[in-house]
């Protein structure tokens, strides 16, 4: 491996280049390299200033996350940055690409910062369950003030060069150019001006209003419920206000070390890597995707319109097909309204909107508009008959090689593909609603789907900025199959004694964005009802079927859309629908169940054991490639708390023995629902984890 840090001296300017692809992370070799070159620079008498820059596409994107959780290796980053800051010569950081985390901390340790106009800056450590532990919580308040520091450090949000200049984080935005030339030119200017080192650590910290930290705590309590890192971030910045620099640094270190040892840190870093790992799918390695420029969307309801918007926002041409002129007009209005919302929120320029409406978007009731489409996504009513009809028509119209995708949530894609003369071109692209917002895309590979069609699905996801997970065909694929299982478990908890409101509260306390009953109300209770009716003929007589939800549906209460479901939706917010308790009591009575008290812990244990047990089957059957694919699915499509890393990471954290023991415990009440997954049993017997399967 070539040395990742190099030094050359040109006309009195020491130029330090960092070359550690792909993102110039601060691995041990980079830290040691920086320490070495700065020692060498101090020993020379022909140097007037120092420039640090990153080679290739970026400055430094942060600490090397792969080293986290392993024994720390010297030299430590805070010491290296202190060494850079202590340099007797002016040190200039020339920033381009992204200066993130430890990378931005290196830049703040330099004495001057010049940036490319397109550079981005941020301290995203909080999103990984840690804090900027190399002086960032002490130097940023000194450069930009405590309020700005609290905002950037507790949210991890990135900012552009203009904002960085305005808050005092950087000194200059240069004309676009290569960072070496830009840095050297700025260094020469500074030398000409006789500039001396200007150390951030020596700057005074401006006083702030006393309630600034309390307000930050309130914000964090709302937005980052349950998470440790944002609270430690606040404490570290508070330390910068009341402690001298070196003591503040020691305080920061202690808070950092506490987080480094937390399960939340492991979970968030697992999520980071898992989201990159899901795109690595063996059957499409080296396979070239088909080019996609024009797509068709069949169906202009909420889902179809959302898919159309997602595609339009990523620059694709979209033709939306509906059945008749009124439906076309409604679909067009749906798409237009959503795009107008993006313009209002500043996410889409008015000129871009005008361009989309004039040239890239069209809607029609004529399937022949799709003759030149590269990919068509069907998002019509969830009925096999309707979908088969659509695919028959697509088969007759679409050009050879066009990818034909269905957005079905549950149905058998092999059966749909069999309606066409080209099953190799048929695939499932399962979006989540609202499709222009939700990050998850399940790419469902049917028996005959060609590898380049799968590769095209992944390419499309990248273009739409979605996280794509490969799934196999089964009822519900990865996410909805697991969901229907844990839904049965929470229904079972209600039959046993908890109320739906207890269940929702316990699971929101656990970290879910919403409880499962509130989610059902949001999705529409009629959807689950339709699925239950569809599956009724094949239902196993041993299943304990919770009927209380059917009672709500029979009374026309479908959740939010009808104003009533498990909750009643009023102007001042939702409140529990007390009628539900009557339906539940009737259901228990009909089944001869005497309700008992159930703790929040038991509710969580049931929910998690059901989720993990079914997920183990999904992995064992190859529906999900690896446990991490399940985690990414649940994190991005089902509101599972990211700081728990996903269900499989959670299971590894609490121990698979506990999950298996819980399955056995609940089986004493319902041994049909609670049958242990063979993979779970095997891993426990072998003393292995789901993580071991990810690494295999
Ligand atoms: C920190 O700095 C703490 C400091 C205190 C210390 C005391 N380390 O995302 P991409 C890999 S915490 C190791 O696909 P992009 C990534 O896994 C850190 N590896 O590219 C992938 O590898 P693969 C604070 C890293 O262009 C490859 O690089 N910094 C790291 O879409 C390409 O990544 C952050 O949190 C890393 N730090 O986005 C920034 N970063 O090809 C984290 C990336 O084997 N990184 N990799 O799969 C990012 O946000 C993005 O990677 C990006 C580039 C915006 C830099």
């Amino acid at each position: 491996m070539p040395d990742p840090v190099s030094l050359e001296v040109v006309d009195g300017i020491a130029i330090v280049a960092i070359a550690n692809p792909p993102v110039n992370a601060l691995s041990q070799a980079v830290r040691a390299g920086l320490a070495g070159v700065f020692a060498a620079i101090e020993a020379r008498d022909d140097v007037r200033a120092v420039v640090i820059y990153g080679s290739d596409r970026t400055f430094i994107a942060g600490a090397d996350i792969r080293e986290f959780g392993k024994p720390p290796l010297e030299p430590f980053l805070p010491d290296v940055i202190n060494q850079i800051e202590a340099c007797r010569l002016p040190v200039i950081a020339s920033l381009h690409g992204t200066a993130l985390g430890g990378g931005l901390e290196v830049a703040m340790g330099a004495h001057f910062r010049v940036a490319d106009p397109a550079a981005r800056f941020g301290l995203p450590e909080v999103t990984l369950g840690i804090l900027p532990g190399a002086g960032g919580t002490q130097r940023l308040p000194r450069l930009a003030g405590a309020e700005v520091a609290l905002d950037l450090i507790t949210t991890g949000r990135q900012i552009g060069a203009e904002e960085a200049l305005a808050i005092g984080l950087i000194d200059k935005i240069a004309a676009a150019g290569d960072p070496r030339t830009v840095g050297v030119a700025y260094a020469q200017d500074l030398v000409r001006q006789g500039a001396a080192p200007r150390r951030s650590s020596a700057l005074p910290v401006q006083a702030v209003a006393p309630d600034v930290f309390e307000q930050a705590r309130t914000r964090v309590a709302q937005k980052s419920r349950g998470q440790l890192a944002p609270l430690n971030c606040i404490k570290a910045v508070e330390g910068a206000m009341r402690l001298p620099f070196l003591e503040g640094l020691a305080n920061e270190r202690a808070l950092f070390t506490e987080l480094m040892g937390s399960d939340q840190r492991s979970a968030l870093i697992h999520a980071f890597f898992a989201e990159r790992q899901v795109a690595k799918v063996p059957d499409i390695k080296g396979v070239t995707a088909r080019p996609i420029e024009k797509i068709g969307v069949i169906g202009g309801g909420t889902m179809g319109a959302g898919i159309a918007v997602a595609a339009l926002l990523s620059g694709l041409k979209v033709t939306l097909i509906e059945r008749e002129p009124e439906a076309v007009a409604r679909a067009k209005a749906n798409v237009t309204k959503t795009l107008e919302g993006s313009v209002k929120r500043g996410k889409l320029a008015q000129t871009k909107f005008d361009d989309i409406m004039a040239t890239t978007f069209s809607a029609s009731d004529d399937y022949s508009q799709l003759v030149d489409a590269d990919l068509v996504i069907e998002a019509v009513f969830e009925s096999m008959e309707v979908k088969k009809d659509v695919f028959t028509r697509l088969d007759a119209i679409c050009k050879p090689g066009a990818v034909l995708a269905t957005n079905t949530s549950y149905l058998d894609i092999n059966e749909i593909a069999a309606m066409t003369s080209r099953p190799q071109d048929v695939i499932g692209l399962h979006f989540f609603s609202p499709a222009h917002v939700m990050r998850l895309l399940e790419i469902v590979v049917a028996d005959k789907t060609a590898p380049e069609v799968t590769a095209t699905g992944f390419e499309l996801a990248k273009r739409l900025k979605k996280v794509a997970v490969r799934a196999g065909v089964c009822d519900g694929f990865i996410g909805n199959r697991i969901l229907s299982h844990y839904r049965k478990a929470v229904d079972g908890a209600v039959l046993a004694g908890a109320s739906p409101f207890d269940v929702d509260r316990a699971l929101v306390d656990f970290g879910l964005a919403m409880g499962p009953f509130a989610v059902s109300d949001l999705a529409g209770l009629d959807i689950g009802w339709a699925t239950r009716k569809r599956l009724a003929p094949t239902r196993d007589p041993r299943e304990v079927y919770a009927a209380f939800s059917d009672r709500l549906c029979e009374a026309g209460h479908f959740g939010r859309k009808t104003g009533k479901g498990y909750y009643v939706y009023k102007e001042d917010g939702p409140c529990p629908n007390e009628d539900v308790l009557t339906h539940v009591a009737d259901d228990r009575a009909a089944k001869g169940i005497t309700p008992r008290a159930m703790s929040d812990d038991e509710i969580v244990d049931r929910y998690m054991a059901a989720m993990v047990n079914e997920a183990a089957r999904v992995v064992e059957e190859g529906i999900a490639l690896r446990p991490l694919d399940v985690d990414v699915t649940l994190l991005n499509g089902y509101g599972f708390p990211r700081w728990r890393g996903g269900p499989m990471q959670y299971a590894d954290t609490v121990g698979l023995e506990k999950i298996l023991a819980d399955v056995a415990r609940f089986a004493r009440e319902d041994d049909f629902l609670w049958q242990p997954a063979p993979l779970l049993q095997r891993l426990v017997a072998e003393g292995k984890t789901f993580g071991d399967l990810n690494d295999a």
Side-chain angles (χ1 to χ4, degrees):
M1 269 275 288
D3 207 339
V5 181
S6 62
L7 169 66
E8 65 179 313
V9 178
V10 179
D11 296 335
I13 308 292
I15 305 167
V16 179
I18 297 164
N20 185 25
V23 296
N24 293 332
L26 291 155
S27 62
Q28 191 274 339
V30 172
R31 297 193 303 275
L34 281 170
V37 296
F38 272 84
I41 290 166
E42 295 281 7
R44 292 177 70 137
D45 55 11
D46 59 341
V47 175
R48 312 281 301 279
V50 186
V51 172
I52 311 176
Y53 78 97
S55 67
D56 290 332
R57 61 181 177 135
T58 187
F59 187 66
I60 302 167
D64 187 340
I65 309 173
R66 288 175 208 279
E67 289 181 1
F68 291 180
K70 299 181 185 151
L73 297 169
E74 288 189 274
F76 301 134
L77 189 59
D79 301 331
V80 175
I81 294 177
N82 287 348
Q83 182 190 353
I84 293 172
E85 193 183 48
C87 184
R88 69 188 158 81
L89 302 158
V91 180
I92 293 98
S94 180
L95 309 168
H96 78 298
T98 45
L100 298 177
L104 186 57
E105 291 179 297
V106 168
M108 289 192 283
H111 306 140
F112 299 92
R113 287 157 290 280
V114 58
D116 182 83
R120 311 273 308 158
F121 311 88
L123 292 170
E125 286 86 342
V126 72
T127 65
L128 301 173
I130 54 172
L131 54 75
T137 67
Q138 306 305 296
R139 290 191 175 92
L140 187 58
R142 286 172 163 82
L143 285 166
E147 282 195 74
V148 169
L150 278 173
D151 168 32
L152 293 183
I153 294 172
T154 59
T155 62
R157 83 179 170 90
Q158 289 185 19
I159 59 173
E162 292 289 346
E163 191 174 346
L165 186 67
I167 64 171
L169 178 60
I170 60 171
D171 301 289
K172 183 177 169 171
I173 302 175
D178 86 273
R180 184 181 188 279
T181 313
V182 166
V184 169
Y186 189 44
Q188 283 163 342
D189 279 354
L190 289 167
V191 168
R192 269 194 296 274
Q193 292 161 23
R198 201 191 51 183
R199 301 185 174 93
S200 319
S201 64
L203 296 172
V205 192
Q206 302 298 329
V208 287
D211 57 351
V212 160
F213 291 94
E214 265 333 292
Q215 282 171 6
R217 282 198 178 83
T218 310
R219 246 189 344 262
V220 158
Q222 283 165 356
K223 290 207 166 152
S224 315
R225 201 166 31 89
Q227 297 187 49
L228 306 171
L231 294 171
N232 277 20
C233 288
I234 297 173
K235 286 185 199 161
V237 176
E238 246 172 348
M241 309 301 296
R242 61 183 166 81
L243 299 169
F245 181 76
L246 286 178
E247 285 176 39
L249 215 52
N251 181 51
E252 174 193 273
R253 198 72 203 157
L255 293 163
F256 174 82
T257 306
E258 186 181 312
L259 294 175
M260 208 53 169
S262 73
D263 290 339
Q264 294 192 5
R265 190 273 304 153
S266 323
L268 285 162
I269 286 179
H270 164 76
F272 177 88
F273 284 121
E275 281 174 359
R276 282 152 182 84
Q277 197 66 21
V278 277
K280 293 175 183 146
V281 174
D283 44 327
I284 57 167
K285 198 168 173 216
V287 173
T288 307
R290 295 180 186 166
I292 301 287
E293 274 318 314
K294 175 174 173 181
I295 74 162
V297 178
I298 316 287
T302 310
M303 185 53 95
I307 295 171
V309 168
L312 289 166
L313 289 175
S314 70
L316 289 162
K317 267 184 116 169
V318 176
T319 299
L320 202 156
I321 301 290
E322 259 295 355
R323 272 169 310 178
E324 27 89 35
E326 290 81 50
V328 172
R330 270 197 307 277
K332 220 170 174 172
N334 281 344
V335 170
T336 311
K337 199 167 141 217
T338 312
L339 287 172
E340 281 169 349
S342 300
V343 174
K344 268 195 207 120
R345 286 193 309 281
K347 302 252 179 234
L348 178 67
Q350 182 68 46
T351 48
K352 186 90 188 58
F353 171 85
D354 295 342
D355 186 43
I356 286 175
M357 297 316 288
T359 58
T360 54
F361 174 54
S362 60
S364 171
D365 58 359
D366 176 7
Y367 269 67
S368 71
Q369 299 293 318
L370 300 179
V371 280
D372 58 345
D374 303 308
L375 179 145
V376 181
I377 305 170
E378 159 283 306
V380 300
F381 185 64
E382 192 74 345
S383 138
M384 185 54 100
E385 290 323 303
V386 179
K387 292 196 190 266
K388 281 184 174 174
D389 178 51
V390 168
F391 274 78
T392 307
R393 296 175 77 168
L394 291 177
D395 190 28
I397 286 283
C398 291
K399 67 181 182 186
V403 172
L404 307 183
T406 168
N407 179 56
T408 180
S409 314
Y410 287 94
L411 300 177
D412 183 347
I413 299 175
N414 289 318
E415 205 178 321
I416 296 174
M419 295 310 294
T420 72
S421 59
R422 38 175 137 176
Q424 73 281 2
D425 293 335
V426 177
I427 193 164
L429 292 179
H430 181 212
F431 288 81
F432 289 72
S433 193
H436 61 294
V437 175
M438 295 290 285
R439 283 185 80 210
L440 181 65
L441 179 64
E442 276 183 312
I443 297 192
V444 191
V445 179
D447 290 351
K448 295 192 175 153
T449 307
E452 70 264 26
V453 170
T454 310
T456 308
F458 275 88
E459 240 352 269
L460 178 75
K462 210 191 272 175
R463 185 128 180 212
L464 303 187
K465 298 199 171 64
K466 304 230 173 272
V467 182
V469 177
R470 184 204 191 279
V473 175
C474 68
D475 204 284
F477 318 128
I478 299 177
N480 281 346
R481 169 163 162 188
I482 295 172
L483 167 108
S484 70
H485 201 76
Y486 66 75
R487 263 314 303 245
K488 286 180 189 162
V490 294
D491 285 351
V494 169
L495 288 177
S499 79
F501 318 118
D502 294 335
V503 168
D504 277 1
R505 187 188 29 74
L507 292 171
V508 167
D509 285 350
F510 173 72
L512 290 190
M514 285 172 92
F517 293 100
V519 168
S520 301
D521 270 3
L522 182 64
L525 298 183
D526 49 328
I527 306 227
W529 194 31
T531 305
R532 292 194 297 278
K533 284 194 279 196
R534 175 170 61 81
L535 295 176
T538 53
R539 187 174 301 129
D540 194 297
R542 290 169 297 169
E543 179 179 332
V544 180
Y545 179 78
F548 52 84
S549 183
D550 292 355
R551 300 290 93 80
L552 281 173
C553 295
E554 284 154 11
H557 302 315
F558 295 154
R560 283 201 190 192
K561 61 175 121 173
T562 58
K564 206 174 195 184
Y566 287 100
Y567 297 85
V568 183
Y569 295 88
K570 299 183 179 160
E571 288 213 337
D572 52 348
C575 62
N577 175 5
E578 299 295 330
D579 296 348
V580 169
L581 300 179
T582 312
H583 296 316
V584 170
D586 291 348
D587 204 1
R588 286 176 189 146
K591 293 180 167 71
I593 297 169
T594 309
R596 63 177 175 82
M598 189 177 292
S599 69
D600 286 5
D601 282 350
E602 182 178 340
I603 291 170
V604 170
D605 285 348
R606 281 174 176 264
Y607 178 81
M608 285 313 307
M611 190 183 275
V612 171
N613 197 41
E614 188 64 9
R617 288 185 207 283
V618 162
V619 171
E620 187 157 39
E621 289 170 24
I623 300 299
L625 276 182
R626 300 146 293 205
L628 67 86
D629 296 73
V630 172
D631 284 342
V632 173
T633 302
L634 273 290
L635 289 176
N636 289 287
Y638 295 81
F640 196 88
R642 190 174 175 87
W643 50 273
R644 292 196 186 272
M648 309 311 250
Q649 168 76 14
Y650 172 86
D652 279 352
T653 305
V654 298
L656 299 191
E657 310 76 18
K658 171 172 166 50
I659 303 286
L660 190 60
D662 280 346
V663 171
R665 169 159 67 115
F666 304 133
R668 291 201 281 274
E669 207 170 77
D670 176 353
D671 61 2
F672 179 70
L673 180 66
W674 295 99
Q675 298 178 47
L679 176 63
L680 185 60
Q681 289 175 309
R682 202 178 72 228
L683 290 174
V684 169
E686 292 172 0
K688 289 192 176 151
T689 63
F690 288 125
D692 294 331
L693 299 184
N694 288 333
D695 298 338

